[in-house]
Amino acid sequence: MSFAYVDDVLPGHGSLPPRAWYAASSAGSLSLNGQWRFRLAPAVDTYDESFAAEGYEADGWSEVTVPGHWVLQGDGAFGSPAYTNHLYPFPVDPPHVPTENPTGDHLRTFDLPDEWPADGAATLRFDGVESCARVWLNGTDIGEFKGSRLPHEFAVGHLLRPAGNVLAVRVHQWSSGSYLEDQDQWWLPGIFRDVTLLHRPADCALDFFVHAAYDHTTGTGTLRVDSDVDGRIAVPELGVDAATGDAVTVPVEPWTAETPRLYAGTLDTGGERVPLRIGFRTVVLDPADGLIKVNGTPVLFKGVNRHEWHPEHGRALDLETMRRDVELMKEHHINAVRTSHYPPHPAFLDLCDEYGLWVIDECDLETHGFIEQGWRDNPADDDRWTPALLDRAARMVERDKNHPSVVLWSLGNEAGTGRGLTAMAEWIRGRDPERLIHYEGDLNCRDTDVYSRMYADHAEVERVGRGLDGGPASRRALPFILCEYAHAMGNGPGGLADYQRLFETYDRLQGAFVWEWIDHGVKDEGRYGYAYGGDFGEELHDGNFVCDGLLFPDRTPSPGLVEFGKVIEPVRITVDAAAGTVRVTNRYDFRDLSHLSFTWSYEVEGEAVEAGTLSVPRLGPGEAAEVKLPPSPDGGQWTVRARDADGQEVAWGQSAAPSLPVQPERFEERPVRAGRLVTLGPAAFDARTGALRTVGGVEVVAPRLDVWRAPTDNDEGGSWQGRERLGLQWREFGLHRMQHRLDGVELGDDALTVRTRVAPAGRDIGLRTVYRWTADAERLRLTVSVAPEGDWRIPLPRLGVRLGLPGGADAVRWFGGGPGEAYPDTRSAARLGVWRSDVDALQTPYVRPQENGARADVRWAELGGLRIDGDPEFWFTARRWTTEHLDAAAHRTDLVPGDTVWVNLDHAQQGIGSQSCGPGVLPQYRLTPSPAQFAFTFRVLA
Ligand code: GAL
């Protein structure tokens, strides 16, 4: 037995040269997906190769589903997933991997369909196997390969027979290839993409390259299909019928991500007809201004990084899941995807062509773990590995080159710098000079067409926008993108709108890609809800850093996605109530607004009292117009919406919120002592402590000052960051265990005043807090005055009061920002209105529980039979557990409802930022302790 191939740096043996992928053609094919016999071994040499021989009886073997990862099947019998961010989960001694190398033997028999032609040639295609596979067909060893998220094909026709074919695949979890696949994700071995047998008739298509350029100066497209096998190209809609290799120029509608115009065509090589979907577009880096242009127009990427993820199937995605991703992206106005950090299932790119998304197609290459040794021995800078790197580059480019959506090739992610990367770039440029090259890891941009960074803060991005970033002159001439920003881990990301303003201000900033699209939580209903790193007992792991997406694992949009969708919406609507106008700006790069219709509504106290349509001129890309609104009385608010032909809202804007009504009423009831109680208007208090007991008969846990929030992932901050990590500092200062000292309870003529000092043990900082209670016959008003004392060096998590209501409190109605969660730097999507919900639905189910659920700008809220009016507006949060419980919870399943509904009424909140892997909260969203006064009026609802 030889297993030398496992450790060999070379990519493999026996496979065919890479070529273009297509979903279907006139040639027959046979899917070999389905149930396969399966046997797992702890090491490469546990079993010999006899299982691959003819006549082997797989008695006692289990089964797995292909495509799939064995660690996600078999209820734990086949090992477990393991998550590390950048550390290799084995000793770093390239190219060697551990003896304990889980090895899955897969067996499947198949018959050829009756109609399968007897003429022989056939190709066996693996679209993705992690990380190394050796393949036998009918007892013959046909080769082995590495490159997990890349296709590998073998010529097998000579081995096939009509019935009883035996396909044996031995898959090793670890191989030299693992050193090149150190992406921040779960390690998930298995045959996780399709296995297909393709009939190859005589004169079938081999490789072909569709070149479809668009000349924006003439409105014509030029089509040329280069094909290894000569044939004809037909595009009936364009009247094109040409020989392969010939260029044809015709008037066309161009393809863009906004207008994904595809023309159906065919390549006919005599033996095979391959359907083509042709999108005409030309991508350049314009030397005149250093901008990326498509069809002559600079583009602004409003992108996401997409890993492939399904909470039950890992990276084995079905077509519907891929389609769902694309639909959700389009619904939220996302126009670009970076396929972090490997070429996706090829069908995903078909969807990008069809729906319209700009794609940065990234190679399956990351060697991040070498950073631990200062990049010594990095395969990306070691000639011995270059063939493997070039193999990966070629497999990506050849597979995906016919997709109009792909506009940039990315060499990989976090692979340091080196000769191997340069070799990849040179090869790609030679093969496909019609696209641009991306790679983030080389600050000198030696091999790339774009200066790309990750997580640069706003100030730096602005410097780059102004061209003040220094660096080599060659880099200064390049456009800038953030290939990763706005780390969407847990609650957040904050600061999106502030980034977007920069991207829209400076031409050089051509957009950015949120990290990342979806939380990679592993479904584990009973125990955790969703599992993350460490939940499988991994020796090394990075916890919930794997749950940092805009979607929850089940693809429910998180508030972060709603916020992002609002920030990047393609029409900006700015309503100026005082001037009676609305300014509409077209923020598309290519489209006019003729596909949208506009309406206005005029709302008083959040309820629409009048509505109508608004006629907006046909604005071209980048154009703006001011449109008059109908005359209106004062005191209300305008909402203007743009909808598409299906009635889907595409954009909205509201006028500034009307000011809160002044409270002309007087609160003149007198507090009266009655035994152990003090009564005041509708309320009763504990006479000794001054704590509120009941209001209008409703028993409450008395409101008192609260500054604590369950630190978010962004509060906690990345451990490697030199920056201020607030989660830690807040605990260090004791903000989670504030003591409330009672300094006095005073009964005045028209007020009950309770004086306190709220402060943590062991520190001299504190908050002098005075609660002043006043009332009339029905209403009780609490005015809170806070004065910080001592040297507060840190912002407060929040500033407000927390009270408890009886557990029956459920339905919630409020007039304020909604419908979703918002914090100071994540509030773009909150619109003022009257909203209804219930306590459970107010919660945002972050995979690792943390502060969530605040509603912004609340004027009043009704809950548990009480109405609470704010003066001024407040942040409203209600939940069935305390903040302390939320803080202690590690998984959703740790949150167990108690008997009390805890309500936070906050005067202020600290912003969110994205410091879980990026910059913290911008200064304007920081809650610096300072004297404050705020009030709430409580009354029992009739
Ligand atoms: C980047 C990396 C991503 C991911 C992210 C943090 O450095 O490229 O793969 O690890 O940080 O979530």
Side-chain angles (χ1 to χ4, degrees):
M1 280 197 295
S2 164
F3 300 104
Y5 63 90
V6 175
D7 278 3
D8 188 351
V9 292
L10 292 175
H13 298 95
S15 61
L16 293 165
R19 63 182 186 119
W21 186 94
Y22 41 93
S25 80
S26 62
S29 68
L30 176 66
S31 168
L32 298 176
N33 294 346
Q35 293 304 109
W36 289 48
R37 302 303 299 273
F38 178 75
R39 171 182 72 182
L40 182 65
V44 284
D45 58 356
T46 309
Y47 300 113
D48 63 19
E49 294 154 12
S50 56
F51 81 104
E54 302 239 46
Y56 180 83
E57 294 288 336
D59 292 338
W61 284 39
S62 317
E63 285 200 342
V64 287
T65 302
V66 170
H69 305 279
W70 68 70
V71 291
L72 295 178
Q73 304 185 50
D75 285 330
F78 306 146
S80 312
Y83 166 57
T84 59
N85 167 8
H86 76 280
L87 292 180
Y88 289 103
F90 47 77
V92 180
D93 180 25
H96 306 292
V97 293
T99 306
E100 287 178 28
N101 185 354
T103 292
D105 289 335
H106 297 68
L107 266 182
R108 123 146 235 174
T109 57
F110 62 93
D111 300 339
L112 296 179
D114 292 342
E115 65 281 7
W116 194 272
D119 66 354
T123 293
L124 177 63
R125 183 174 72 201
F126 294 89
D127 280 316
V129 182
E130 179 167 331
S131 82
C132 171
R134 183 165 176 201
V135 188
W136 295 260
L137 182 62
N138 292 333
T140 302
D141 182 354
I142 60 172
E144 92 289 325
F145 62 87
K146 298 167 202 126
S148 299
R149 298 102 199 180
L150 292 163
H152 303 271
E153 289 187 328
F154 296 88
V156 295
H158 59 293
L159 299 173
L160 288 173
R161 51 184 172 236
N165 294 286
V166 180
L167 179 57
V169 185
R170 172 164 277 183
V171 180
H172 307 287
Q173 170 154 22
W174 310 120
S175 68
S176 66
S178 307
Y179 283 98
L180 305 181
E181 295 172 7
D182 191 25
Q183 292 93 345
D184 173 5
Q185 60 180 350
W186 294 99
W187 297 94
L188 295 175
I191 306 175
F192 72 98
R193 285 187 191 156
D194 311 279
V195 183
T196 316
L197 185 70
L198 303 159
H199 176 232
R200 307 313 297 137
D203 297 324
C204 63
L206 290 175
D207 189 28
F208 57 92
F209 199 158
V210 178
H211 301 272
Y214 181 73
D215 181 343
H216 65 280
T217 62
T218 60
T220 55
T222 297
L223 177 66
R224 192 190 79 234
V225 178
D226 294 334
S227 172
D228 285 1
V229 178
D230 289 343
R232 291 207 71 79
I233 302 298
V235 189
E237 199 185 340
L238 294 174
V240 170
D241 180 6
T244 53
D246 285 354
V248 191
T249 300
V250 281
V252 295
E253 292 170 39
W255 188 96
T256 73
E258 293 169 9
T259 54
R261 179 68 161 96
L262 291 173
Y263 291 90
T266 47
L267 161 66
D268 192 337
T269 55
E272 185 178 16
R273 281 164 59 87
V274 181
L276 306 176
R277 298 198 310 168
I278 302 160
F280 292 88
R281 52 119 193 83
T282 292
V283 188
V284 297
L285 176 63
D286 189 338
D289 52 14
L291 296 181
I292 300 172
K293 293 183 182 166
V294 180
N295 305 336
T297 301
V299 289
L300 184 60
F301 296 120
K302 299 173 241 181
V304 286
N305 281 278
R306 175 180 178 271
H307 265 291
E308 297 185 302
W309 188 249
H310 185 283
E312 287 158 274
H313 309 305
R315 289 188 285 275
L317 259 57
D318 57 90
L319 194 59
E320 277 325 295
T321 303
M322 297 182 222
R323 187 180 295 278
R324 190 71 200 122
D325 277 350
V326 172
E327 284 172 351
L328 281 165
M329 288 177 193
K330 293 297 285 188
E331 271 168 38
H332 292 88
H333 313 306
I334 289 162
N335 73 355
V337 187
R338 172 176 179 233
T339 69
S340 54
H341 299 301
Y342 41 80
H345 188 289
F348 177 75
L349 298 176
D350 279 345
L351 294 166
C352 294
D353 295 342
E354 182 185 324
Y355 286 77
L357 286 165
W358 307 117
V359 176
I360 299 183
D361 194 358
E362 188 150 276
C363 199
D364 193 2
L365 174 66
E366 172 157 344
T367 61
H368 201 174
F370 285 88
I371 200 172
E372 294 292 315
Q373 53 200 60
W375 295 104
R376 180 173 42 76
D377 295 337
N378 179 14
D381 193 26
D382 179 336
D383 292 339
R384 286 171 298 179
W385 290 85
T386 303
L389 269 56
L390 288 172
D391 181 71
R392 285 167 188 253
R395 285 183 192 283
M396 168 179 74
V397 171
E398 300 301 5
R399 191 194 76 165
D400 295 342
K401 60 186 178 290
N402 293 330
H403 292 282
S405 55
V406 175
V407 288
L408 286 102
W409 300 115
S410 177
L411 303 180
N413 184 58
E414 298 184 318
T417 55
R419 287 164 285 169
L421 291 160
T422 301
M424 289 170 86
E426 283 171 357
W427 183 87
I428 294 173
R429 268 189 219 292
R431 177 64 178 143
D432 182 16
E434 290 163 356
R435 287 186 176 90
L436 306 178
I437 294 184
H438 169 268
Y439 175 64
E440 184 270 349
D442 179 7
L443 279 179
N444 292 321
C445 298
R446 169 189 171 130
D447 303 314
T448 64
D449 297 309
V450 49
Y451 174 28
S452 172
R453 290 281 305 282
M454 38 176 86
Y455 308 109
D457 63 22
H458 298 76
E460 182 179 2
V461 170
E462 177 147 30
R463 280 198 301 280
V464 175
R466 291 180 186 275
L468 302 177
D469 52 311
S474 54
R475 189 181 84 188
R476 285 205 301 280
L478 296 180
F480 179 82
I481 64 165
L482 283 167
C483 69
E484 294 179 27
Y485 82 125
H487 200 249
M489 185 177 179
N491 186 336
L496 280 170
D498 309 84
Y499 273 115
Q500 198 62 28
R501 267 194 290 279
L502 297 174
F503 304 149
E504 288 171 17
T505 304
Y506 301 102
D507 290 344
R508 186 185 182 197
L509 309 179
Q510 290 203 267
F513 296 73
V514 169
W515 186 267
E516 70 175 303
W517 177 237
I518 184 167
D519 287 342
H520 312 208
V522 176
K523 190 162 180 181
D524 180 340
E525 208 119 29
R527 246 163 98 207
Y528 298 128
Y530 291 102
Y532 50 77
D535 290 340
F536 297 98
E538 301 105 292
E539 194 173 297
L540 292 177
H541 69 84
D542 289 286
N544 68 316
F545 202 60
V546 78
C547 290
D548 51 1
L550 294 173
L551 296 181
F552 293 117
D554 66 357
R555 293 193 151 66
T556 310
S558 76
L561 180 56
V562 178
E563 172 78 3
F564 187 45
K566 174 63 183 154
V567 163
I568 61 175
E569 67 188 8
V571 182
R572 173 162 301 142
I573 297 173
T574 319
V575 188
D576 183 340
T581 57
V582 49
R583 187 175 173 78
V584 177
T585 310
N586 177 353
R587 295 198 291 164
Y588 286 109
D589 292 328
F590 298 91
R591 273 189 116 170
D592 66 26
L593 299 188
S594 55
H595 63 295
L596 300 177
S597 53
F598 290 78
T599 56
W600 58 266
S601 70
Y602 185 75
E603 292 127 25
V604 175
E605 278 268 312
E607 311 279 4
V609 292
E610 253 189 282
T613 58
L614 199 69
S615 126
V616 173
R618 186 193 181 109
L619 296 171
E623 289 176 359
E626 220 134 272
V627 182
K628 265 248 99 6
L629 288 164
S632 73
D634 281 346
Q637 192 178 24
W638 296 93
T639 302
V640 174
R641 296 178 171 83
R643 290 197 177 81
D644 65 15
D646 301 329
Q648 281 297 318
E649 187 176 279
V650 171
W652 60 273
Q654 277 188 325
S655 56
S659 42
L660 277 177
V662 267
Q663 303 260 357
E665 304 91 343
R666 301 186 66 82
F667 294 88
E668 293 179 323
E669 289 286 316
R670 199 184 174 82
V672 180
R673 172 127 198 184
R676 291 180 167 188
L677 294 178
V678 171
T679 58
L680 174 65
F685 296 80
D686 183 305
R688 188 179 60 81
T689 63
L692 178 67
R693 285 283 184 74
T694 60
V695 48
V698 178
E699 276 190 45
V700 299
V701 180
R704 59 180 201 172
L705 194 80
D706 191 13
V707 296
W708 183 236
R709 77 179 182 197
T712 64
D713 293 318
N714 286 315
D715 291 334
E716 299 288 10
S719 57
W720 64 94
Q721 295 191 345
R723 299 188 169 106
E724 168 187 69
R725 295 182 62 195
L726 288 176
L728 298 186
Q729 293 193 11
W730 287 338
R731 281 184 221 278
E732 201 181 305
F733 276 79
L735 301 194
H736 58 313
R737 48 173 170 78
M738 297 290 264
Q739 298 183 8
H740 296 247
R741 188 183 76 204
L742 184 61
D743 288 342
V745 177
E746 297 158 15
L747 275 65
D749 283 349
D750 59 358
L752 168 70
T753 303
V754 182
R755 296 181 192 283
T756 68
R757 187 173 186 278
V758 182
R763 299 268 168 188
D764 67 350
I765 51 171
L767 299 163
R768 284 262 171 218
T769 305
V770 178
Y771 306 90
R772 184 165 190 274
W773 294 96
T774 52
D776 64 13
E778 270 102 44
R779 294 173 308 163
L780 175 70
R781 185 172 166 92
L782 165 63
T783 305
V784 184
S785 310
V786 183
E789 292 179 344
D791 181 13
W792 281 88
R793 275 164 284 160
I794 48 169
L796 293 170
R798 68 178 349 132
L799 180 67
V801 295
R802 169 163 62 162
L803 65 150
L805 297 179
D810 191 22
V812 184
R813 202 163 83 96
W814 75 97
F815 175 32
E821 167 183 302
Y823 287 83
D825 53 351
T826 63
R827 58 187 293 166
S828 306
R831 71 174 98 174
L832 203 67
V834 175
W835 305 100
R836 287 167 203 275
S837 185
D838 57 48
V839 173
D840 290 337
L842 288 179
Q843 314 309 308
T844 306
Y846 293 112
V847 170
R848 184 190 75 80
Q850 54 198 275
E851 190 67 35
N852 72 84
R855 299 306 191 267
D857 278 330
V858 175
R859 277 105 199 284
W860 53 256
E862 294 173 355
L863 169 65
L866 286 182
R867 167 161 163 148
I868 306 165
D869 279 82
D871 178 12
E873 51 279 273
F874 58 99
W875 302 86
F876 175 77
T877 308
R879 47 187 165 231
R880 298 196 184 281
W881 35 78
T882 60
T883 306
E884 290 72 18
H885 280 131
L886 185 61
D887 186 11
H891 294 92
R892 289 181 181 181
T893 43
D894 295 335
L895 292 172
V896 181
D899 299 336
T900 303
V901 169
W902 295 98
V903 179
N904 276 92
L905 310 173
D906 290 309
H907 178 58
Q909 291 268 0
Q910 161 79 0
I912 297 291
S914 67
Q915 209 186 315
S916 53
C917 185
V921 170
L922 287 167
Q924 61 269 36
Y925 308 119
R926 199 176 158 93
L927 176 44
T928 303
S930 60
Q933 184 170 311
F934 46 95
F936 305 100
T937 306
F938 303 84
R939 103 180 125 80
V940 170
L941 288 166

